[in-house]
């Protein structure tokens, strides 16, 4: 986009999540006058932080992948990511702990990793390499197509070149079956089956194309941001302000105003009207129709409970001692993974025996905890709930999480915990206006849900655009920023 074409035109972004900030920065850099209206008291949406007693917690993402996507955004604003934040690659990627006592580190050093695989099941070395090759080809296919373009865009030369990767026999099947076809070891199967949860989905119901996720993490690494991932939000907010963006917090939009199928602006809950040439919805796509006064455009089932991706049950614990031997990331697997997903998606209840993920950023980044202490982010998958989460469930969920940790050899930290906070699906729903507390919009079960997410440009109202994890191409921090790039490109093309 050239600044001269758009200079002075007005855009309002509904929501100051990562997607909203990404669009705001990109639009402002090309001359738009941008206002962001965030209903919550802080910017960042699900990428947020909580600080107390010298402990600095990220309350959402604990790992970023595809760091170049973040760099591109800062560059689009005439800056550089490295001037603002320091990224460190987490090595090894994670420790995995299983119910039968098996434990190993997943390292990005290929010789070391193949040695570990050989000890589990020698024939799986070849399976691992083949599985990565499948992910690599899927990434080559999607990198300049699905991940960079609106679904209906005509293909360009680069996307046509990517089509040579299309004859991927395995990619058309079911994710879990594909994992099982590559690995004999039950431990490796379990470990690779966990990746669809990165988009809030079940390995037993997603297409095998999600094999691109473990490939991206292995090939390009998992990254931590020094001082916590929220530093990215703080830097983006600073960058946005520097470009003249007005950032409003505690400003809930209650209606998108439109006339003759063209946006006119937004109205806030306190009655204030803000006129705009373009409106970008960063809140969950299931809420767009409601803001339009019932005019539908995003398709049916968006808000249905059965279509929602996973929510989470998160404990933030500030512990006044070191936990020796603990890695930055550790996963403690439940005994029966299939039963866990059946309870999450069929029965829509918190699992009897949850798989528990522990992130301890203080293991590698001393700035996140007081000296001699640990900052712990403990998370289990939870169902997105139709009814508000009954807070009486919280103690029971906590007990199950600690039982799993204890079985996995995690020490009892209760008496040393000096700061604690709990996030339930109910709190995710309330604080981010995310239906059911779902973290990634709709789940990616089946082809339609995985690849046909609501569009970045609203099909029925001119000047209305959408961005974020519930929109094409999907959830997770780098994907949300790709969504912001696609949305801004569309605005550039259609709003001249
Ligand atoms: C616990 C947890 C762990 C995660 N782990 C990872 C991870 O390790 N790696 C990773 O890459 N991703 C992870 N994610 C996912 C990632 O955080 C999200 O995909 C991403 O931050 C979503 O950004 P967004 O802009 O799409 O939406 P959001 O962050 O939901 O932002 C939307 C904003 O819109 C606001 N809003 C909605 N409606 C209105 C309205 N009417 N008026 C005004 N404002 C409104 C909301 O308050 C919200 O702030 C995790 C998320 C959570 C919650």
């Amino acid at each position: 986009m050239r600044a001269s074409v758009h200079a002075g035109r007005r855009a309002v972004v509904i929501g100051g999540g990562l997607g909203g900030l990404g669009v705001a920065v990109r639009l402002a850099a090309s001359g738009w006058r941008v206002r962001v209206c965030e209903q919550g008291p802080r910017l960042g949406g699900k990428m947020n932080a909580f600080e107390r007693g010298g402990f600095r917690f990220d309350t959402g993402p604990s790992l970023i992948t595809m760091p170049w996507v973040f760099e591109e955004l800062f560059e689009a604003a005439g800056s550089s990511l490295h001037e603002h934040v320091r990224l460190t690659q987490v090595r090894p990627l994670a420790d995995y702990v299983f119910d039968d006592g098996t434990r190993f580190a997943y390292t990005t050093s290929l010789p070391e990793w193949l040695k570990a695989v050989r000890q589990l099941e020698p024939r799986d070395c070849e399976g691992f390499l083949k599985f990565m090759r499948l992910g690599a080809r899927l990434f080559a296919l999607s990198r300049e197509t699905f991940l960079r373009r609106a679904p209906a865009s005509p293909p360009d030369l680069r996307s046509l070149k990517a089509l040579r990767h299309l004859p991927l026999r395995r990619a058309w099947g079911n994710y879990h079956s594909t994992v099982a076809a590559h690995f004999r070891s039950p431990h490796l199967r379990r470990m690779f089956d966990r990746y669809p949860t990165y988009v809030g989905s079940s390995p037993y119901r997603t297409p095998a194309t999600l094999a691109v996720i473990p490939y991206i993490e292995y090939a390009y690494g998992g990254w931590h941001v020094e001082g916590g991932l929220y530093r990215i939000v703080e830097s983006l907010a600073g960058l946005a302000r520097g470009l003249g963006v007005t950032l409003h917090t505690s400003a809930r939009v209650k209606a998108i105003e439109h006339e003759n199928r063209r946006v006119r602006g937004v109205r806030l809950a306190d009655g204030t009207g803000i006129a705009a040439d373009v409106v970008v919805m960063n809140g969950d796509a299931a809420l767009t129709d409601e803001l339009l006064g019932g005019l539908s455009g995003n398709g049916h089932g968006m808000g249905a409970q059965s279509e929602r991706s996973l929510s989470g049950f998160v404990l933030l614990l500030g512990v006044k001692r070191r936990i020796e031997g603990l890695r930055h990331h550790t996963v403690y697997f439940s005994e029966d993974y299939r039963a866990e997903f059946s309870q999450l998606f069929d029965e829509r209840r918190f699992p009897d025996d949850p798989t528990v993920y522990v992130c301890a950023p203080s293991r590698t980044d001393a700035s996140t905890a007081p000296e001699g202490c640990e900052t712990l982010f403990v998370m289990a998958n939870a169902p997105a709930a139709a009814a508000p989460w009954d807070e009486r469930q919280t103690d029971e969920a906590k007990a199950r999480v600690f039982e799993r940790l204890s079985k996995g050899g995690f020490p009892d930290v209760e008496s040393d915990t000096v700061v604690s906070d709990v996030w339930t699906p109910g709190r995710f729903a309330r604080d981010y206006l995310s239906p059911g507390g779902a973290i990634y919009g709709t789940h990616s079960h089946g082809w339609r849900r995985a690849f046909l997410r609501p569009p970045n440009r609203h099909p029925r109202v001119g000047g209305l655009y959408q961005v974020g994890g519930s929109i094409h191409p999907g959830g997770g921090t780098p994907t949300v920023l790709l969504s912001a790039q696609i949305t801004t490109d569309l605005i550039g093309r259609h709003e001249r």
Side-chain angles (χ1 to χ4, degrees):
M1 277 191 285
R2 294 203 324 273
S4 56
V5 181
H6 302 288
R9 299 193 68 203
R10 299 155 306 170
V12 171
V13 181
I14 306 172
L18 190 62
L21 290 173
V23 163
V25 162
R26 284 181 177 272
L27 285 179
S30 55
W32 287 78
R33 272 163 46 206
V34 187
R35 273 171 190 260
V36 175
C37 298
E38 164 56 48
Q39 58 88 29
R42 289 160 61 91
L43 295 167
K46 297 183 190 100
M47 189 172 200
N48 228 303
F50 164 65
E51 258 185 282
R52 185 175 293 165
F55 294 91
R56 191 177 161 102
F57 300 92
D58 280 304
T59 59
S62 51
L63 163 96
I64 64 169
T65 53
M66 300 204 270
W68 65 88
V69 173
F70 295 80
E71 279 163 23
E72 285 171 6
L73 173 60
F74 280 75
E75 277 164 23
S79 184
S80 145
L81 178 68
H82 304 288
E83 278 170 29
H84 295 263
V85 293
R86 220 177 111 96
L87 262 60
T88 46
Q89 193 168 357
V90 180
R91 291 196 179 99
L93 277 166
D95 256 12
Y96 287 95
V97 183
F98 297 81
D99 189 61
D100 64 1
T102 304
R103 181 182 191 124
F104 55 79
Y106 184 35
T107 154
T108 46
S109 151
L110 190 60
E112 261 180 62
W113 172 239
L114 290 180
K115 197 169 144 199
V117 172
R118 218 166 283 127
Q119 277 164 15
L120 291 163
E121 166 58 72
R123 290 170 295 181
D124 283 352
C125 287
E126 198 194 332
F128 172 74
L129 295 172
K130 277 193 179 156
F131 190 61
M132 286 294 130
R133 216 171 296 138
L134 171 66
R137 295 185 71 192
L138 287 165
F139 186 51
L141 175 63
S142 55
R143 189 174 184 159
E144 298 303 332
T145 52
F146 178 75
L147 290 172
R148 290 279 182 190
R149 303 167 65 85
S153 298
D156 61 5
L157 197 61
R158 287 172 90 180
S159 9
L160 288 172
K161 275 190 186 157
L163 292 179
R164 70 181 185 279
H165 296 280
L166 254 186
L168 286 169
R169 195 169 47 88
R170 286 271 179 221
W172 308 112
N174 164 271
Y175 182 86
H176 168 73
S177 311
T178 301
V179 167
H182 285 80
F183 298 98
R184 287 182 168 84
S185 151
H187 302 100
L188 293 171
R189 283 184 180 177
R190 181 71 50 91
M191 177 187 148
F192 286 104
D193 266 349
R194 183 172 161 269
Y195 281 90
T197 65
Y198 281 28
V199 289
S201 303
S202 159
Y204 307 102
R205 300 183 189 184
T206 37
T209 39
L210 267 68
V212 71
I213 302 175
Y215 167 73
I216 289 172
E217 188 187 75
Y218 197 76
Y220 302 102
W223 299 77
H224 170 70
V225 180
E226 280 189 21
L229 274 65
Y230 193 67
R231 296 262 186 248
I232 290 186
V233 171
E234 291 169 331
S235 305
L236 282 178
L239 208 59
R241 283 192 191 97
L243 289 164
V245 176
T246 311
L247 299 169
H248 302 277
T249 48
S250 304
R252 179 169 179 165
V253 171
K254 77 156 196 248
I256 298 171
E257 307 213 304
H258 53 98
E259 202 177 293
N260 301 326
R261 301 261 156 130
R262 173 87 211 170
V263 292
R264 310 278 300 176
V266 300
R267 186 150 303 272
L268 303 185
D270 68 3
T272 310
I274 304 176
D277 304 296
V278 154
V279 173
V280 183
M281 173 63 168
N282 174 222
D284 197 288
L287 306 176
T288 310
D289 292 354
E290 197 182 308
L291 293 182
L292 284 169
L295 192 68
S296 80
N298 277 333
H300 297 295
M302 285 295 308
Q305 187 197 7
S306 60
E307 301 281 339
R308 307 305 290 165
S309 62
L310 290 168
S311 185
F313 179 78
V314 175
L315 301 171
L316 305 174
L317 308 174
V319 177
K320 62 171 187 195
R321 70 172 158 98
R322 301 293 282 168
I323 303 174
E324 293 313 325
L326 182 66
R327 301 247 198 227
H328 193 124
H329 302 291
T330 311
V331 178
Y332 299 84
F333 277 111
S334 61
E335 189 186 350
D336 185 343
Y337 214 41
R338 205 181 264 278
E340 187 180 345
F341 279 92
S342 171
Q343 287 164 8
L344 284 165
F345 280 106
D346 298 328
E347 298 173 43
R348 293 264 153 194
R349 65 182 179 89
F350 190 74
D352 296 330
D353 176 15
T355 291
V356 180
Y357 160 65
V358 176
C359 176
S362 46
R363 299 304 303 167
T364 50
D365 178 358
S367 73
T368 57
E371 205 181 325
C373 300
E374 302 285 9
T375 294
L376 304 180
F377 168 97
V378 178
M379 179 173 178
N381 291 316
W389 169 270
D390 178 350
E391 296 301 336
R392 281 171 304 184
Q393 282 178 264
T394 301
D395 286 343
E396 182 56 40
K398 221 188 246 182
R400 291 180 199 171
V401 164
F402 281 122
E403 194 183 337
R404 172 43 56 201
L405 289 178
S406 157
K407 280 186 183 161
F410 192 88
D412 182 356
V413 291
E414 203 177 341
S415 56
D416 290 321
T417 299
V418 288
V419 171
S420 72
D421 197 16
V422 185
W423 280 81
T424 62
R427 188 168 172 194
F428 284 116
R430 212 172 42 243
D431 285 18
Y432 305 135
L433 300 187
S434 170
I439 293 177
Y440 302 91
T442 52
H443 56 59
S444 298
H445 297 171
W447 279 88
R448 195 170 64 89
R449 282 285 172 234
F451 299 106
L452 289 177
R453 299 178 84 79
N456 308 66
R457 180 174 178 233
H458 196 271
R460 296 186 64 192
V461 180
L464 178 58
Y465 295 81
Q466 310 185 94
V467 67
S470 62
I471 299 295
H472 173 83
T477 53
T479 325
V480 162
L481 288 186
L482 290 169
S483 173
Q485 179 236 302
I486 294 169
T487 299
T488 318
D489 288 351
L490 287 171
I491 294 173
R493 203 173 323 141
H494 293 281
E495 305 295 332
R496 286 183 175 276

